[in-house]
Amino acid sequence: MGALRITLFGKLCLWGCDGQLLVGFDARKLQELLCYLLLYRDHPYPREVLASLLWGDCSTEQSKKYLRQTLWQLQSTIERQGEPINGRLLRVEPDWVTLDSQADLWLDVAVFEQALAPVQNTRGRDLDFEKVQMLQCAVKLYQGDLLEGWYQDWCLYERERLQNIYLTMLDKLMGYCEAHHEYETGIEYGTRILLFDRAREHTHRRLMRIHYLAGNRTAALRQYRRCVVALEEELAVKPAKQTTALHEQICADRLDSATLQSLYDTRTVDAAPDALPEVLGRLAQLQELLIGVQQAVQHGIQAVEGALKGRANANRSNR
């Protein structure tokens, strides 16, 4: 753990290396400047841009003065904590300001974002145990939306972006749980997704499937009803054909778990582009299976018709 620990999910908090909450960061503009530089930590920013962003209703000269004062206040407040920070938190130059890459710092948003990179193009069902643990740790960091209660344009944009990353992680974990028969945990992840987006139809379908595979057909059917209501109330639309088809098969209790899994895998939302040949192969196999079933049914019909015709002919002969 670094000398300075900062969390941005939920409420802004700063802790020292001893685990004690740091004080003196109550000034709102100080918080805004710090959080903006933390979120956009990989880029240096011209002073004029930062001044205009935070004090846009002031003159250029006045906004630059406020920026100088806030930068000094931020650095001084951190130094007064007596924390053994390597160098300074910020690099402040005559025309530019940026987060110092050498600062001894732990940031929840940075750790959260880094967890997605190694699994970006990996389907949930294909994750290994190490990557699953990494994602599980990452989603635990999401203790609330980014800087709850803040409504600046840049904050709203980042809040939505990070929330989408969170939902993507949950999607992948849900896919892993389904493939590895960890149904209860998969249902928990799916429920968390719907708390953020109750009309997320593919999550409803996956929950229907997981409930069914877990042996709870009633829960699967109830999930479909929740899906119908959410789509109507949120978007004024009806479920997609594949959702309706899944519901009908569950109603008839005619789903084979292996076939069901194969069908879903061809539509998985987190499939990487390079997985398309594999998807095409599964579709071809499924097509062959359906053709075989169709042929078997046709042969059965012909056999029954032949037997009935033979019986009718025999009856006529006996007369």
Side-chain angles (χ1 to χ4, degrees):
M1 183 183 298
L4 188 61
R5 182 180 176 92
I6 304 178
T7 61
L8 302 183
F9 286 125
K11 179 183 177 182
L12 169 66
C13 291
L14 297 87
W15 289 272
C17 61
D18 57 358
Q20 296 297 313
L21 191 66
L22 303 186
V23 297
F25 296 90
D26 297 329
R28 191 53 180 261
K29 289 301 180 181
L30 184 151
Q31 292 181 352
E32 289 181 24
L33 176 61
L34 173 62
C35 291
Y36 187 87
L37 292 172
L38 288 170
L39 287 170
Y40 298 99
R41 55 196 171 278
D42 297 328
H43 305 283
Y45 283 90
R47 282 175 173 262
E48 187 172 342
V49 171
L50 291 173
S52 176
L53 177 74
L54 299 177
W55 294 277
D57 54 346
C58 300
S59 66
T60 300
E61 181 178 351
Q62 191 68 33
S63 64
K64 287 184 176 181
K65 175 184 176 182
Y66 289 148
L67 176 62
R68 287 195 302 271
Q69 294 173 343
T70 304
L71 285 169
W72 177 85
Q73 182 183 6
L74 176 58
Q75 292 281 38
S76 300
T77 301
I78 293 175
E79 291 172 359
R80 282 199 303 270
Q81 308 297 323
E83 296 297 327
I85 299 174
N86 294 334
R88 310 194 78 183
L89 180 63
L90 304 179
R91 289 183 59 190
V92 180
E93 300 177 9
D95 297 319
W96 298 83
V97 180
T98 187
L99 189 73
D100 192 335
S101 60
Q102 301 301 316
D104 203 358
L105 172 69
W106 183 94
L107 178 65
D108 60 347
V109 170
V111 176
F112 179 79
E113 291 178 306
Q114 290 165 6
L116 182 65
V119 300
Q120 184 74 57
N121 296 318
T122 305
R123 296 174 300 175
R125 67 188 299 271
D126 296 329
L127 293 173
D128 58 36
F129 183 67
E130 181 180 354
K131 290 186 174 62
V132 167
Q133 285 189 311
M134 179 177 63
L135 286 180
Q136 288 173 336
C137 291
V139 297
K140 288 179 181 178
L141 293 175
Y142 200 94
Q143 296 297 309
D145 284 335
L146 177 75
L147 297 170
E148 291 179 345
W150 291 31
Y151 300 102
Q152 298 86 338
D153 288 343
W154 58 269
C155 184
L156 293 175
Y157 172 82
E158 287 299 307
R159 182 178 298 156
E160 183 177 359
R161 183 181 69 83
L162 291 168
Q163 185 182 105
N164 287 334
I165 292 177
Y166 176 62
L167 296 181
T168 296
M169 289 179 176
L170 292 177
D171 267 332
K172 290 181 182 293
L173 289 170
M174 195 178 177
Y176 175 87
C177 290
E178 180 180 356
H180 292 79
H181 312 295
E182 298 180 11
Y183 299 133
E184 290 186 7
T185 304
I187 291 170
E188 179 185 344
Y189 288 134
T191 302
R192 288 163 69 178
I193 292 172
L194 294 181
L195 288 175
F196 287 86
D197 185 359
R198 63 188 293 256
R200 200 176 179 95
E201 190 171 358
H202 71 80
T203 299
H204 282 287
R205 280 199 303 273
R206 183 174 260 170
L207 279 170
M208 290 167 62
R209 223 176 26 255
I210 291 179
H211 279 304
Y212 183 86
L213 292 174
N216 194 339
R217 186 167 71 123
T218 301
L221 295 174
R222 287 174 177 162
Q223 190 66 51
Y224 173 76
R225 294 306 309 163
R226 285 192 284 270
C227 176
V228 172
V229 172
L231 290 173
E232 175 62 32
E233 292 180 353
E234 297 285 332
L235 304 173
V237 298
K238 295 184 181 301
K241 291 181 179 180
Q242 61 192 110
T243 306
T244 303
L246 177 60
H247 172 250
E248 291 172 352
Q249 293 174 63
I250 292 174
C251 284
D253 197 17
R254 293 177 180 173
L255 280 175
D256 173 79
S257 60
T259 302
L260 180 60
Q261 183 67 36
S262 177
L263 277 169
Y264 172 70
D265 286 343
T266 65
R267 303 184 179 99
T268 183
V269 296
D270 55 2
D274 57 6
L276 292 178
E278 180 184 349
V279 172
L280 182 60
R282 286 201 300 270
L283 285 171
Q285 292 174 358
L286 184 58
Q287 184 181 42
E288 292 178 4
L289 174 64
L290 292 175
I291 291 173
V293 171
Q294 185 178 22
Q295 290 175 344
V297 171
Q298 186 63 37
H299 290 159
I301 292 173
Q302 292 173 353
V304 172
E305 288 176 343
L308 291 173
K309 185 180 294 185
R311 180 180 297 179
N313 291 335
N315 289 337
R316 283 197 295 269
S317 298
N318 290 335
R319 292 173 188 170

